[in-house]
């Protein structure tokens, strides 16, 4: 039974039941949702928070380790973990201690500190790139890198993969539709034609990549080493070594956005798989949940960037924000890099994520569903297709919003939270084998109801 063969009426029936169950169990969340509606757009602090399958927003009272407690007192095992922001668990002790200590000594000063030196050394050791800069989010890091790389190459074109996600950088919102680049219609308020400076090809398509690079006007290829936000799309064997050679042959630069694939290990996917990008972006979990990000350069590229800045006229570069690299963020990054982003922390996470992936596969097989499960480090994802998709178009074709909303809501009602917008689950250092078993059992129970005659 494919996802498309599951009756829409059955999905609608179960969704209505789960929505009613959610609402009945959460009167305090409902009351807060009504209160928020008076002053917040869509009744939430960020409009994405209204995109879950719930009838109103779930409101959190407390988050610790691998668990959330909502305002109605329900304890949830959290496999969403702030969509990777809390990948090392909620309020990890080393980060809490560092923040408490730094808060008494200053929050922001727009000046360097000893923590900055330590963070630079740790980043260079972990990721193999010697020069770094900072941002508040991975979106900003990607945006700032595009400015640097367009400046040093004198080229204007960005190349991305179809279905990519690099935060809210305007330039990346271009899709392939019937083989043609099209500006994504959901992008609000865009006044420039992004297709003039953004080129897009399918992931894993070396011929298309070479053709797109051939004009010699591409400043950089910006990519996740594994596509994640449209559902996982893994690189085929040999893709990245060949792709990197093409990028360099055509005088372009390779930027790897490891904001999600940092789940692969303490040096990210690139270090684990022997990739050597010209620049690297890190965000989300880098500060243990604090808003901060970093981007690194090879020595050669860093020298070109410094030369470009020195050669430019005086004035604002368009790179950086006042609160970038604030004292609190630097303290959080130092604690995360030194105490959490280590082999000793990662190894149990990776092993437990493997058990989770196998448990999900077993449940899917028991109910005769032709779905697949992929794993990248501590991250696992199930998709509504019988084999892992090889590009963004295949991944998008496998999506089923109504079914996804039902599954997420039904799991939430059974005490388990997974990431909205797709079917991602993360294991953190505080996740236990019992937590994984609870998720697998809940998933199995929901699939039983979904596939019942």
């Amino acid at each position: 039974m494919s996802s498309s063969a599951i009756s829409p009426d059955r999905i609608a029936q179960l969704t209505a039941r789960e929505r009613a169950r959610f609402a009945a169990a959460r009167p305090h969340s409902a009351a807060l949702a009504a209160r928020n509606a008076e002053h917040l757009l869509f009744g939430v602090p960020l409009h994405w928070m209204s995109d879950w399958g719930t009838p109103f927003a779930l409101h959190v009272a407390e988050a610790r380790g691998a668990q959330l407690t909502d305002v109605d007192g329900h304890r949830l095992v959290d496999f969403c973990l702030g969509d990777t922001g809390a990948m090392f668990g909620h309020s990890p002790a080393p980060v809490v201690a560092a923040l408490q200590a730094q808060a008494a000594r200053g929050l922001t000063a727009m000046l360097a500190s000893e923590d900055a030196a330590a963070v630079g050394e740790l980043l260079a050791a972990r990721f193999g790139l010697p020069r770094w800069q900072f941002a508040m989010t991975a979106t900003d890091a990607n945006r700032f890198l595009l400015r640097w790389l367009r400046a040093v190459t004198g080229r204007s074109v960005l190349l991305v993969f179809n279905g990519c996600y690099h935060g809210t950088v305007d330039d990346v919102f271009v899709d392939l539709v019937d083989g043609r680049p099209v500006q994504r219609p959901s992008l609000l308020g865009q006044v420039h034609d992004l297709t003039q400076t953004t080129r897009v090809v399918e992931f894993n398509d070396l011929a298309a990549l070479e053709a797109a690079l051939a004009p010699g006007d591409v400043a950089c290829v910006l990519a996740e080493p594994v596509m994640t936000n449209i559902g996982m799309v893994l690189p085929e064997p040999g893709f990245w070594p060949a792709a990197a050679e093409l990028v360099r042959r055509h005088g372009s630069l390779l930027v790897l956005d490891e904001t999600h694939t940092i789940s692969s290990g303490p040096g990210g996917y690139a270090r684990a798989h022997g990739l050597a990008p010209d620049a690297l972006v890190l965000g989300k979990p880098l500060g243990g949940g604090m808003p901060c990000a970093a981007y690194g350069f090879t020595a050669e590229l860093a020298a070109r960037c410094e030369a470009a800045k020195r050669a430019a006229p005086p004035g604002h570069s368009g790179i950086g924000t006042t609160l970038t690299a604030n004292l609190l963020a630097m303290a959080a990054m130092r604690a995360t890099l030194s105490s959490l982003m280590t082999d000793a922390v990662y190894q149990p996470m990776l092993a437990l994520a493997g058990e989770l992936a196998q448990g999900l596969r077993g449940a899917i097989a028991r109910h005769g569903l032709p779905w697949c499960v992929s794993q990248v480090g501590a991250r696992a994802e199930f998709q509504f297709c019988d084999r892992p998709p090889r590009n963004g178009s295949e991944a998008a074709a496998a999506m089923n919003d109504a079914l996804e909303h039902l599954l997420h809501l039904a799991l939430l009602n059974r005490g388990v939270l997974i990431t909205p917008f797709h079917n991602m689950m993360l294991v953190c250092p505080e996740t236990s084998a019992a937590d994984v078993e609870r998720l697998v059992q809940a998933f199995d129970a929901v699939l039983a109801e979904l596939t019942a005659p």
Side-chain angles (χ1 to χ4, degrees), residues 139-425:
T139 288
D140 280 345
N142 282 315
R143 184 180 293 119
F144 299 160
L145 260 177
L146 289 181
R147 284 190 175 276
W148 284 119
L149 302 191
R150 283 169 165 157
V152 302
T153 62
R155 298 177 175 189
S156 62
V157 176
L158 166 68
L159 196 154
V160 295
F161 291 106
N162 187 38
C164 69
Y165 181 77
H166 300 288
T168 55
V169 178
D170 288 359
D171 305 67
V172 306
F173 285 87
V174 178
D175 298 322
L176 278 179
V177 178
D178 298 326
R180 294 173 46 251
V182 175
Q183 189 162 297
R184 195 172 300 176
S186 61
L187 183 60
L188 292 174
Q190 180 53 248
V191 296
H192 302 292
D193 182 1
L194 300 177
T195 63
Q196 297 301 302
T197 52
T198 299
R199 207 162 288 155
V200 57
V201 299
E202 293 286 10
F203 198 67
N204 282 318
D205 190 336
L206 290 170
L209 176 62
E210 182 165 24
L213 292 166
D217 56 354
V218 173
C220 68
V221 173
L222 173 60
E224 292 182 288
V226 175
M227 295 185 72
T228 60
N229 211 65
I230 198 165
M232 254 185 234
V233 181
L234 279 69
E236 294 179 339
F239 171 73
W240 272 122
E245 194 280 326
L246 288 174
V247 171
R248 295 190 176 108
R249 185 196 309 168
H250 290 282
S252 300
L253 296 163
L254 177 60
V255 180
L256 292 182
D257 182 348
E258 291 256 27
T259 299
H260 284 155
T261 54
I262 190 60
S263 65
S264 301
Y269 187 96
R271 208 79 192 272
H273 294 268
L275 307 183
D278 299 291
L280 189 77
V281 170
L282 302 167
K284 290 194 177 178
L286 185 58
M290 275 291 294
C292 49
Y295 54 106
F297 310 83
T298 62
E300 188 273 338
L301 180 55
R304 294 172 67 187
C305 291
E306 289 183 354
K309 177 67 179 90
R310 291 192 179 100
H316 202 302
S317 64
I319 296 169
T321 57
T322 303
L323 296 180
T324 293
N326 65 75
L327 298 174
L328 211 55
M330 300 309 295
M333 283 188 281
R334 183 176 185 176
T336 302
L337 285 159
S338 59
S339 299
L340 299 172
M341 206 171 283
T342 67
D343 284 321
V345 170
Y346 267 94
Q347 288 310 311
M349 292 166 59
L350 305 186
L352 198 54
E355 294 179 22
L356 170 58
Q358 284 300 103
L360 295 171
R361 291 186 186 106
I364 289 167
R366 278 191 293 279
H367 298 286
L369 290 163
W371 300 353
C372 65
V373 177
S374 298
Q375 180 189 352
V376 175
R379 179 185 182 104
E381 182 143 10
F382 62 88
Q383 290 165 279
F384 305 136
C385 47
D386 60 2
R387 60 179 177 80
R390 69 181 302 270
N391 57 45
S393 290
E394 289 185 8
M399 287 183 162
N400 182 323
D401 290 344
L403 178 57
E404 181 181 295
H405 280 167
L406 167 60
L407 288 169
H408 289 216
L409 179 57
L411 289 173
L412 195 159
N413 282 338
R414 288 157 180 78
V416 178
L417 193 72
I418 69 173
T419 307
F421 323 126
H422 44 109
N423 299 313
M424 186 274 288
M425 293 142 283

Side-chain angles (χ1 to χ4, degrees), residues 6 39 60 62 70 78 93 97 101 150 201 206 215 225 250 303 377 380 386 410 431 444-445:
I6 297 172
H39 298 289
V60 175
E62 185 177 49
D70 69 20
D78 187 8
R150 283 169 165 157
V201 299
L206 290 170
H250 290 282
D386 60 2
T431 307
D444 187 89

Side-chain angles (χ1 to χ4, degrees), residues 105-140:
R105 300 196 303 264
L107 304 180
T108 190
M110 208 172 69
L111 292 168
S113 64
E114 182 186 347
D115 281 341
V119 169
E121 292 162 357
L122 287 163
L123 287 168
R126 292 278 186 278
F127 298 95
L129 293 173
R131 298 288 184 270
W132 292 84
Q133 286 283 271
F134 299 95
M136 294 296 291
T137 66
T139 288
D140 280 345

